[in-house]
Amino acid sequence: MTYYAFGGFRLSSTLKEIAKELGLTASTVSRVVNSKEYVKPETRKLVLKALEKYNYMPNQTARNLRSKKTNMIAVIVPDISEGFISNIVKVLEHVLGESGYSIILCDTNEEPEKEEQYLNILLQKQIDGVIIATVSKKPDAIFKYFDKNLGVVFFDNLPNINVSFDAVITDNVKSSNMAVNYLCDLGHKKIGIIAAKQDETTGFERLIGYKKALTDHEIEISDNLIAIGDFKEQSGYDCMKTLMNRNPDMTAVYAVSSKMTFGAIKAAQENGKKIPDDISIVGFDVHDPSGLICPCITTIIQDEVNIAKLVSENIIKGIADKENSVKKKILLEANLVIGNSCRAI
Amino acid sequence: MTYYAFGGFRLSSTLKEIAKELGLTASTVSRVVNSKEYVKPETRKLVLKALEKYNYMPNQTARNLRSKKTNMIAVIVPDISEGFISNIVKVLEHVLGESGYSIILCDTNEEPEKEEQYLNILLQKQIDGVIIATVSKKPDAIFKYFDKNLGVVFFDNLPNINVSFDAVITDNVKSSNMAVNYLCDLGHKKIGIIAAKQDETTGFERLIGYKKALTDHEIEISDNLIAIGDFKEQSGYDCMKTLMNRNPDMTAVYAVSSKMTFGAIKAAQENGKKIPDDISIVGFDVHDPSGLICPCITTIIQDEVNIAKLVSENIIKGIADKENSVKKKILLEANLVIGNSCRAI
DNA sequence: GTGAAAGCGCTAACAC
DNA sequence: GTGTTAGCGCTTTCAC
């Protein structure tokens, strides 16, 4: 087995050092490093050999200072351990990496204040752009950090503010509509919803879609069938209990987040309800990497890959052409993935 | 609703500009910014007001260049969408953030070559440290990037090399031992293992633990009961098929990764085997955020929070005292979480 | 207490 | 073709 001293051959030489070694000047060496013209072929060869010999690596910090670019993009998310988020982050990292960007990951743990703290640090770090799934209720607090030198793209949830900005999101109204239509078409009339915070666009729009579907099917909207949670499992559980209490005749429930779906199912099972025999369930963002969840849950699945690709595309555009890039909101369609958590009635 | 021009109040002024405004010099303003002594109280007050007025933010790029520190730590992982990894990354980000570090996330997608590519870029970016769950088979290729200016901590899988380095890992031998002991104690004699790549320490050591448990229980080790996968679901499926073919009398299987466990279960179910009635299964790293997987799988769960905390602690130490910090390997115990995928025999 | 000067490592405009 | 110079924004001696 080969023996190594910890630490390999990095000598971390500078342009100047190498130039001195060769009796040249930093400019010339720089020209070679950056493959610029106007260097005598022989000189170039000499320099290249020295670069190799000293294992030269350009110091990006110095370059950043000069170019006022860092090739770093921050990705601010509420919870990296959530499937929907980590799937998107994975693609973001991959696609943006191919364009030479590195990703600074910031997990706010769903705490709005942390978004501000992060933005403060990140701007000092001179990042080129920020991709953010915000949970903030105070768009002012966030927007004040954005200036023309920063590319910004929102995804998942949007700030509730009257300014144009770039965003890539799922058409939440349409998705919910699809989910609830599906239940209506199966013959359900008493359909509950476990919605979410109405001051977040995701929560708000998903409720709209539910109402629209009912209206389209000429089913009356009843407040008794609407419960508002906070995206987390416990609230799904609590909401489900409430809904079941209030509506003994409810035959289906639509829950607008994965964790609330899990909570709802546990509440139903605890009350002795079988899924889908006694109650049908449609979820949102329910990922099952195991493929072993039973019953297999019918759920809305967002187009994570394309969300990430479009976010990447737009942040790159936004960084390249800060002044003129037209701010736009891109809506993607989601899919209803049919499992066996719903039955016809 | 308030109206905003996109872009808030950032004026991105420099020390020099502010100094000029006040008829002072950058040094003095710098002293105030950095809360240094030797500034007349009145001057300080004046400067503070100006800093506020112009919303001064120090340019970290410039500071980095000067201080040769960036307060950035790279985290290189094979797959951020895997539960074990994202749980650890979440804690790392949180703990290291509290110490003023930002995290650059690098997902290698299990491709060893990408580790080298990343390290190359990261070193140019002058990161202070790197935390890495390597998948590389050529430790040389990685080690050559590590010098005394870089804090390095390994976790999960270790490079197979004769150099001392910092690492925090689960005691794989002991964990496997625990898993297989459990099966033995339930009375199983014909216990299969779906192990993993023997050139990765994780794969290698988990097989050792299996053998040790059998030996301790005076059960003969049979090659027929050993299948080697690659951590992924398909291989778990394939290995399970092979094991079942070769050993019709096999009553239990231990799979050393979550995805292989899922694959194995599907293969078993496809062959009409009920779990745990016909075959008992113990998995590794099987996370079920839904709590709805049935049967609930008995599995080894690593102590992710403490792994992340110890990694953080050690990378910080390693960065602070590069020369003298003693390189050490920290072994943590895992837990066997009992579900209902195993039965006594 | 404050300023002047140098320099972190690199690049680019301008000279020669 | 190559060197000289200046400067990105900041910190830190060293003078005064």
Side-chain angles (χ1 to χ4, degrees):
Chain A
M1 177 176 289
T2 334
Y3 232 101
Y4 274 80
F6 187 75
F9 61 80
R10 249 180 99 201
L11 297 181
S12 147
S13 39
T14 67
L15 283 189
K16 211 165 137 195
E17 281 164 21
I18 291 189
K20 197 168 151 196
E21 172 87 7
L22 299 173
L24 288 168
T25 182
S27 332
T28 309
V29 181
S30 170
R31 286 189 190 104
V32 174
V33 169
N34 295 293
S35 320
K36 294 263 165 77
E37 295 176 50
Y38 308 121
V39 181
K40 212 195 318 184
E42 304 133 58
T43 318
R44 185 183 299 275
K45 226 156 76 183
L46 234 67
V47 172
L48 284 175
K49 207 151 75 183
L51 292 175
E52 173 87 355
K53 175 177 164 200
Y54 290 103
N55 196 248
Y56 173 75
M57 288 191 151
N59 180 324
Q60 282 299 341
T61 297
R63 284 181 165 178
N64 293 344
L65 180 58
R66 217 175 181 278
S67 65
K68 295 175 183 305
K69 272 208 66 179
T70 53
N71 290 308
M72 310 245 287
I73 292 175
V75 178
I76 305 181
V77 297
D79 184 7
I80 187 61
S81 62
E82 168 107 23
F84 167 65
I85 297 290
S86 66
N87 285 345
I88 287 188
V89 168
K90 183 164 178 123
V91 179
L92 284 176
E93 199 271 346
H94 179 72
V95 177
L96 291 173
E98 298 210 315
S99 294
Y101 288 102
S102 297
I103 295 301
I104 298 187
L105 178 70
C106 304
D107 184 307
T108 61
N109 209 23
E110 318 256 8
E111 298 161 26
E113 321 81 55
K114 291 201 88 181
E115 280 179 20
E116 295 180 58
Q117 291 170 21
Y118 275 124
L119 284 170
N120 212 318
I121 296 169
L122 293 166
L123 289 179
Q124 298 186 189
K125 285 195 188 287
Q126 313 294 118
I127 53 164
D128 296 337
V130 56
I131 293 168
I132 175 167
T134 185
V135 293
S136 176
K137 269 91 208 150
K138 298 184 292 183
D140 312 21
I142 299 190
F143 267 77
K144 73 176 183 196
Y145 288 102
F146 301 155
D147 72 0
K148 293 118 218 106
N149 287 317
L150 232 208
V152 181
V153 178
F154 287 86
F155 76 101
D156 189 39
N157 186 46
L158 302 186
N160 196 355
I161 199 167
N162 211 345
V163 189
S164 60
F165 49 79
D166 276 314
V168 180
I169 53 166
T170 292
D171 188 333
N172 284 299
V173 176
K174 198 161 177 182
S175 316
S176 281
N177 203 316
M178 190 169 20
V180 181
N181 273 343
Y182 173 72
L183 289 170
C184 292
D185 292 346
L186 285 177
H188 293 275
K189 306 272 180 220
K190 290 282 184 181
I191 303 172
I193 180 172
I194 301 177
K197 309 186 195 171
Q198 291 299 295
D199 49 6
E200 299 197 12
T201 55
T202 39
F204 182 73
E205 293 171 355
R206 289 174 197 172
L207 180 55
I208 300 285
Y210 161 86
K211 289 182 176 171
K212 189 169 173 303
L214 293 189
T215 307
D216 289 350
H217 284 82
E218 296 176 341
I219 298 175
E220 209 180 333
I221 293 164
S222 153
D223 282 347
N224 273 337
L225 284 163
I226 300 176
I228 308 286
D230 65 1
F231 291 109
K232 297 190 186 149
E233 176 154 347
Q234 184 62 43
S235 78
Y237 178 92
D238 296 339
C239 287
M240 187 67 174
K241 290 268 176 179
T242 310
L243 288 178
M244 289 187 299
N245 274 342
R246 286 206 207 125
N247 312 277
D249 53 348
M250 180 176 69
T251 59
V253 168
Y254 166 50
V256 309
S257 85
S258 60
K259 290 184 179 166
M260 292 196 301
T261 308
F262 300 145
I265 291 175
K266 282 169 203 165
Q269 289 175 340
E270 238 181 66
N271 272 27
K273 301 240 186 201
K274 281 224 162 58
I275 298 164
D277 307 332
D278 303 323
I279 194 145
S280 293
I281 302 270
V282 176
F284 204 106
D285 280 344
V286 178
H287 287 88
D288 180 16
S290 72
L292 298 172
I293 290 181
C294 20
C296 177
I297 303 180
T298 296
T299 180
I300 296 288
I301 291 288
Q302 303 187 57
D303 188 352
E304 292 147 1
V305 171
N306 279 314
I307 290 177
K309 283 187 179 165
L310 285 162
V311 166
S312 303
E313 213 173 276
N314 278 281
I315 194 84
I316 288 174
K317 265 190 218 149
I319 290 171
D321 191 7
K322 279 148 204 152
E323 310 291 320
N324 304 314
S325 90
V326 178
K327 306 272 175 274
K328 56 192 169 306
K329 184 159 90 178
I330 300 180
L331 283 187
L332 288 186
E333 309 229 336
N335 286 308
L336 181 69
V337 177
I338 309 285
N340 48 27
S341 65
C342 300
R343 73 173 188 111
I345 208 167
Chain B
M1 179 177 287
T2 334
Y3 232 100
Y4 274 80
F6 187 76
F9 60 83
R10 245 180 101 202
L11 297 182
S12 147
S13 38
T14 68
L15 281 188
K16 211 168 140 193
E17 282 165 22
I18 292 189
K20 197 170 151 193
E21 172 87 6
L22 298 174
L24 288 169
T25 184
S27 333
T28 309
V29 182
S30 168
R31 287 191 188 101
V32 174
V33 170
N34 296 292
S35 318
K36 294 263 164 79
E37 294 177 53
Y38 307 121
V39 182
K40 213 197 311 183
E42 304 132 58
T43 318
R44 183 182 301 276
K45 227 158 72 186
L46 233 67
V47 172
L48 285 174
K49 208 151 74 185
L51 292 176
E52 174 88 354
K53 176 177 164 201
Y54 290 102
N55 196 247
Y56 173 74
M57 287 190 151
N59 180 325
Q60 282 298 341
T61 296
R63 283 181 165 178
N64 293 343
L65 179 57
R66 234 197 157 260
S67 65
K68 296 175 181 304
K69 271 209 67 180
T70 52
N71 290 308
M72 310 244 288
I73 292 174
V75 178
I76 305 181
V77 297
D79 183 6
I80 186 63
S81 64
E82 168 106 23
F84 166 66
I85 297 290
S86 66
N87 284 345
I88 286 189
V89 168
K90 185 166 176 119
V91 179
L92 284 177
E93 199 273 346
H94 179 72
V95 177
L96 291 173
E98 298 211 315
S99 294
Y101 289 102
S102 297
I103 295 301
I104 299 188
L105 178 69
C106 305
D107 184 309
T108 61
N109 208 25
E110 318 256 7
E111 299 161 25
E113 321 80 56
K114 292 201 87 182
E115 280 180 20
E116 293 181 58
Q117 291 169 22
Y118 275 124
L119 283 170
N120 212 319
I121 295 170
L122 292 165
L123 288 179
Q124 298 186 189
K125 285 195 186 288
Q126 314 294 119
I127 53 164
D128 295 339
V130 57
I131 293 167
I132 177 167
T134 186
V135 293
S136 175
K137 268 94 208 149
K138 297 184 294 182
D140 312 23
I142 299 191
F143 266 78
K144 73 178 183 195
Y145 288 102
F146 302 153
D147 72 2
K148 292 120 219 102
N149 287 317
L150 233 207
V152 181
V153 178
F154 287 86
F155 76 102
D156 189 37
N157 186 45
L158 302 187
N160 195 354
I161 199 169
N162 210 345
V163 189
S164 60
F165 48 80
D166 275 314
V168 180
I169 53 167
T170 292
D171 188 331
N172 284 297
V173 175
K174 197 161 177 181
S175 316
S176 281
N177 203 315
M178 190 168 21
V180 180
N181 274 343
Y182 174 72
L183 289 170
C184 292
D185 291 345
L186 285 178
H188 293 275
K189 306 271 181 222
K190 288 282 181 181
I191 303 173
I193 181 171
I194 301 179
K197 311 186 194 171
Q198 291 299 295
D199 50 6
E200 298 196 12
T201 55
T202 39
F204 182 73
E205 292 171 356
R206 288 173 199 173
L207 179 55
I208 300 286
Y210 160 87
K211 289 182 176 171
K212 189 170 173 304
L214 293 190
T215 306
D216 289 349
H217 284 81
E218 296 176 341
I219 298 175
E220 209 181 332
I221 293 163
S222 152
D223 282 347
N224 273 336
L225 283 163
I226 299 176
I228 308 287
D230 66 0
F231 292 110
K232 298 191 185 148
E233 177 155 348
Q234 184 62 45
S235 78
Y237 178 91
D238 295 340
C239 287
M240 188 66 176
K241 289 268 177 181
T242 309
L243 288 178
M244 288 186 300
N245 274 341
R246 285 206 207 127
N247 311 280
D249 53 348
M250 180 176 69
T251 59
V253 169
Y254 166 49
V256 308
S257 87
S258 59
K259 290 184 179 166
M260 292 198 300
T261 308
F262 300 145
I265 292 176
K266 281 168 203 165
Q269 289 174 341
E270 239 181 66
N271 272 26
K273 301 239 185 201
K274 282 224 160 58
I275 299 164
D277 307 333
D278 302 322
I279 194 145
S280 293
I281 302 268
V282 176
F284 205 107
D285 280 344
V286 177
H287 287 88
D288 179 16
S290 72
L292 297 171
I293 290 181
C294 20
C296 177
I297 302 179
T298 296
T299 179
I300 296 288
I301 291 288
Q302 302 186 59
D303 188 351
E304 290 148 2
V305 170
N306 278 315
I307 290 177
K309 283 189 179 164
L310 285 163
V311 166
S312 303
E313 211 171 277
N314 279 281
I315 193 85
I316 289 174
K317 264 190 218 151
I319 291 170
D321 191 7
K322 281 149 205 152
E323 311 291 320
N324 304 314
S325 90
V326 178
K327 305 273 175 272
K328 58 192 166 308
K329 183 159 91 177
I330 300 179
L331 283 187
L332 288 186
E333 308 230 335
N335 286 308
L336 180 70
V337 177
I338 309 285
N340 49 27
S341 64
C342 299
R343 73 171 187 112
I345 208 165

